[in-house]
């Protein structure tokens, strides 16, 4: 596998066929590699019109270069709820930030799988939240910052006692030429000087390579990362590379062309720029519904950290949802490694009740309906064995027992299942779909819909009808 690029491809065709590589050859090769990825200081921006025609829907070209799987031994999640998340909504109060941070700590478990979170430092309120979170004394999530890239702000980060800060280093020509009005060389020199200032303060920079899925990977991103790795060696301070799929253009299809190929980008950063797995992070957006799949792909191809935000709240269509990556982690690794998934339900309740954020009902893992089955025929299956229509034991992992909502299509089985779940009836206490009680309630349900109702029945209505039926039949429930 060598550099795969649209316009400015430089390939390494050197091979050492069927014989051991000598030390000299290895050193030569390393030198060649380093010089192969020199900055391509183009005169005009490369906006990849073949992929992004703007007046047409973006296109996904393929060159069928296959990237090998290369999942790091250790992978983790990082959080941007208080940065990208807050950019897209009304700011959280200091108290809300501290409460959410505390939940994140519990969710991440003793192994700190929610490794870090990033905070604004702009206002007093922002800084108060940081102080309060730091006072909790948790190792994880590490409290990191997001600042304007200036000497004063680096000093502020240091004064507060933080080790790491995010710095914006936009890398596509859309940003370099069209927004910053710079050439690639000017942008690179500017970024490197800012990062040097940060290192001079002893702060570890996390470089946010904005818009990487529209950037010239071998003409700018790799040469820039090679320079960053040299700075890292010079200062002996870790430099993180955050690959930001700002517009959600990344795709995870095998053989797709960079800069859209997630695996191609991660491969280039790790193999050709020499960035260690632990220092590569992926930050996705969901504009094309791909935030989760792309993030998992980034893990699979060499990225250790996936940056996420709670419930995917972030700019436009949002970021990779944190809770989704918890379950992706468990599926890839075969273990939760100590993460407490029930905290996800507590967080969802907190967001709805305390923050007033309405979680769309069909949202996986947290929406009101995520494990609610409506159709009668499905409910019948659930009643026989809940595994048939539930993704996993949602009661155990999320404190959310599988539910069957009652509507005109629920049938007797749906009503019986609703009662058993709602009243937590187990064993011989359970009601049967053929019982008098269920039949009596069904009569009322049928009348409701025969009268033209089109909405599902609420819990309160059902409880009222069940109580009335129990009284009529001289029964008690449970
Ligand atoms: C502003 C940058 C860092 C970002 O969040 C993104 O690229 O999505």
């Amino acid at each position: 596998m060598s550099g795969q690029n649209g316009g400015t491809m430089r390939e390494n065709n050197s091979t050492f066929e069927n014989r051991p590589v000598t030390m000299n050859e290895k050193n030569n090769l390393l030198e060649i590699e380093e010089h192969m990825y020199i900055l391509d200081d183009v005169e005009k921006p490369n906006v990849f019109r073949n992929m992004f025609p703007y007046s047409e829907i973006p296109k996904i070209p393929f060159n069928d270069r296959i990237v090998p799987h290369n999942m790091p031994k250790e992978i983790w999640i990082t959080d941007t709820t208080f940065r990208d998340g807050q950019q897209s909504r009304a700011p959280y109060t200091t108290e809300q930030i501290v409460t959410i941070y505390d939940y994140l700590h519990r969710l991440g478990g003793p192994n700190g799988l929610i490794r870090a979170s990033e905070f604004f430092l702009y206002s007093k309120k922002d800084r108060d939240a940081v102080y309060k979170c730091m006072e909790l004394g948790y190792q994880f999530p590490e409290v990191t910052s997001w600042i304007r890239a200036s000497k004063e702000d680096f000093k502020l980060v240091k004064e507060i006692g933080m080790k790491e800060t995010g710095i914006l280093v936009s890398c596509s020509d859309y940003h370099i030429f069209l927004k910053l009005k710079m050439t690639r060389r000017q942008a690179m020199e500017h970024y490197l000087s800012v990062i040097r200032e940060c290192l001079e303060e002893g702060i570890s920079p996390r470089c946010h390579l904005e818009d990487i899925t529209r950037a010239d990977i071998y003409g700018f991103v790799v040469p820039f990362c090679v320079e960053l790795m040299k700075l890292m060696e010079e200062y002996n301070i870790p430099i993180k590379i955050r690959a930001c799929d700002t517009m959600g253009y990344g795709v995870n299809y095998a053989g797709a062309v960079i800069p859209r190929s997630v695996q191609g980008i991660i491969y280039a950063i790790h193999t050709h720029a020499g960035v260690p797995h632990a220092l590569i992070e992926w930050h996705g957006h969901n504009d094309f519904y791909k935030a989760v799949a792309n993030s998992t792909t980034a893990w699979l191809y060499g990225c250790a950290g996936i940056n996420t935000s709670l419930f995917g709240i972030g700019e436009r269509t949002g970021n990779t949802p944190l809770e989704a990556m918890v379950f992706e982690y468990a599926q890839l690794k075969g273990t939760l490694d100590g993460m407490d998934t029930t905290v996800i339900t507590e967080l969802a309740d907190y967001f709805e009740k305390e923050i007033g954020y309405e979680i769309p009902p069909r949202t996986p893992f947290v929406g009101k309906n995520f494990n609610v089955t409506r159709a009668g025929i499905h409910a019948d299956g659930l009643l026989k064995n809940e595994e048939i229509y539930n993704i996993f034991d949602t009661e155990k992992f999320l404190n959310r027992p599988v539910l069957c909502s009652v509507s005109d299509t629920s049938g007797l089985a749906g009503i019986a299942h609703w009662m058993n779940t709602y009243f937590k009836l187990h064993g011989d206490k359970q009601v049967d779909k053929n019982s008098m009680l269920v039949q009596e309630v069904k009569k009322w349900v049928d009348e409701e819909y025969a009268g033209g109702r089109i909405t599902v029945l609420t819990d309160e209505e059902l409880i009222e009808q069940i109580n009335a039926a129990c009284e009529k039949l001289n029964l008690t429930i449970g």
Side-chain angles (χ1 to χ4, degrees):
M1 175 72 206
S2 59
Q4 41 155 337
N5 203 340
T8 54
M9 181 157 58
R10 276 154 261 210
E11 296 203 17
N12 171 9
N13 291 320
S14 328
T15 55
F16 294 94
E17 285 156 17
N18 300 327
R19 64 183 175 82
V21 181
T22 66
M23 217 40 218
N24 253 354
E25 284 169 337
K26 214 169 174 181
N27 287 339
N28 281 345
L29 188 60
L30 283 176
E31 205 151 292
I32 292 163
E33 287 246 351
E34 192 174 299
H35 290 106
M36 269 170 50
Y37 304 117
I38 46 165
L39 178 79
D40 194 0
D41 196 19
V42 291
E43 277 177 17
K44 285 197 201 125
N46 180 358
V47 290
F48 295 94
R49 274 285 168 251
N50 59 331
M51 298 182 213
F52 308 111
Y54 199 58
S55 56
E56 292 171 36
I57 307 301
K59 299 172 197 306
I60 307 174
F62 287 82
N63 58 8
D64 289 323
R65 302 262 175 120
I66 303 303
V67 180
H69 275 165
N70 190 12
M71 189 166 94
K73 252 204 174 105
E74 250 198 291
I75 56 173
W76 55 80
I77 295 165
T78 64
D79 172 67
T80 189
T81 297
F82 309 126
R83 203 271 300 165
D84 210 322
Q86 266 197 120
Q87 273 170 221
S88 72
R89 49 152 289 131
Y92 299 114
T93 65
T94 303
E95 194 194 330
Q96 286 168 345
I97 291 178
V98 179
T99 306
I100 297 167
Y101 174 76
D102 197 54
Y103 278 124
L104 290 175
H105 167 74
R106 284 177 49 219
L107 170 53
N111 296 315
L113 288 176
I114 315 290
R115 193 62 47 108
S117 184
E118 61 212 50
F119 293 70
F120 290 128
L121 295 183
Y122 299 137
S123 67
K124 180 177 173 316
K125 199 194 89 192
D126 296 330
R127 293 191 289 275
D128 281 349
V130 165
Y131 287 126
K132 291 211 159 120
C133 290
M134 288 177 88
E135 271 165 22
L136 292 173
Y138 299 145
Q139 187 184 1
F140 300 116
E142 182 185 339
V143 177
T144 74
S145 84
W146 170 261
I147 52 164
R148 289 167 287 244
S150 71
K151 252 197 180 106
E152 298 76 60
D153 277 13
F154 295 138
K155 285 205 160 71
L156 179 66
V157 173
K158 195 174 179 181
E159 268 163 38
I160 293 178
M162 290 166 150
K163 293 196 187 78
E164 177 182 310
T165 189
I167 296 175
L168 187 62
V169 286
S170 312
C171 62
S172 73
D173 287 349
Y174 287 84
H175 286 255
I176 295 172
F177 281 79
L178 308 182
K179 190 169 90 183
L180 300 174
K181 308 283 181 207
M182 286 182 178
T183 62
R184 289 182 184 176
R185 182 166 304 285
Q186 286 168 337
M188 178 147 140
E189 282 170 3
H190 169 63
Y191 296 155
L192 290 172
S193 75
V194 168
I195 288 156
R196 197 178 268 283
E197 279 179 7
C198 178
L199 292 163
E200 284 289 331
E201 292 297 332
I203 303 290
S204 175
R206 184 183 61 240
C207 302
H208 292 225
L209 276 80
E210 186 180 23
D211 207 18
I212 202 165
T213 45
R214 282 192 298 185
D216 185 343
I217 302 299
Y218 286 94
F220 185 81
V221 171
V222 171
F224 177 46
C225 290
V226 166
E227 293 307 313
L228 290 174
M229 292 301 99
K230 286 186 199 158
L231 277 182
M232 176 160 96
E233 211 173 299
E234 185 183 332
Y235 283 85
N236 200 20
I237 295 177
I239 298 182
K240 285 190 185 152
I241 305 297
R242 184 181 286 183
C244 298
D245 181 14
T246 306
M247 305 305 294
Y249 288 129
V251 296
N252 67 341
Y253 309 128
V257 170
I258 52 170
R260 296 200 69 180
S261 162
V262 175
Q263 46 272 65
I265 292 171
I266 303 297
Y267 183 88
I269 293 174
H270 176 65
T271 308
H272 292 138
V275 182
H277 294 301
L279 297 179
I280 312 176
E281 222 183 317
W282 179 261
H283 169 97
H285 278 269
N286 203 32
D287 299 72
F288 290 89
Y289 277 116
K290 290 196 174 66
V292 173
N294 284 346
S295 297
T296 311
T297 301
W299 262 342
L300 282 171
Y301 289 88
C303 180
I306 299 299
N307 188 238
T308 62
S309 95
L310 275 168
F311 315 122
I313 300 170
E315 294 278 21
R316 300 184 313 282
T317 55
N319 298 109
T320 308
L322 183 144
E323 64 282 6
M325 297 318 289
V326 168
F327 291 105
E328 290 292 278
Y329 180 100
Q331 291 181 85
L332 287 179
K333 301 277 281 185
T335 164
L336 282 162
D337 271 334
M339 283 188 283
D340 181 355
T341 48
T342 61
V343 178
I344 292 171
T345 304
E346 291 179 47
L347 269 160
D349 287 346
Y350 181 76
F351 267 69
E352 295 220 298
K353 293 188 187 125
E354 302 297 327
I355 298 183
Y357 176 71
E358 220 174 283
I359 298 178
R362 289 186 181 78
T363 310
F365 313 118
V366 287
K368 191 165 183 287
N369 291 338
F370 97 86
N371 63 346
V372 176
T373 286
R374 289 181 198 283
I377 183 157
H378 290 173
D380 205 23
L382 266 178
L383 205 59
K384 290 186 180 115
N385 184 328
E386 71 169 54
E387 282 185 48
I388 298 169
Y389 284 110
N390 203 18
I391 52 171
F392 52 71
D393 188 343
T394 53
E395 181 162 19
K396 173 175 171 187
F397 291 106
L398 291 164
N399 275 332
R400 294 274 306 266
V402 62
L403 252 180
C404 225
S405 86
V406 177
S407 70
D408 54 337
T409 58
S410 303
L412 289 165
I415 296 170
H417 190 273
W418 189 93
M419 287 189 201
N420 288 330
T421 314
Y422 191 88
F423 294 107
K424 296 195 168 62
L425 304 176
H426 298 290
D428 58 5
K429 295 251 187 306
Q430 290 207 328
V431 293
D432 184 84
K433 70 174 180 180
N434 298 314
S435 67
M436 300 279 285
L437 176 61
V438 172
Q439 289 183 27
E440 188 65 24
V441 174
K442 176 136 190 326
K443 263 194 244 160
W444 171 78
V445 173
D446 290 345
E447 278 164 21
E448 278 292 296
Y449 287 101
R453 180 170 183 149
I454 49 166
T455 54
V456 290
L457 304 171
T458 65
D459 294 353
E460 292 73 28
E461 283 176 299
L462 280 164
I463 292 162
E464 196 184 319
Q465 291 306 317
I466 291 163
N467 285 340
C470 281
E471 214 172 299
K472 182 173 167 192
L473 299 169
N474 200 19
L475 288 169
T476 50
I477 198 156

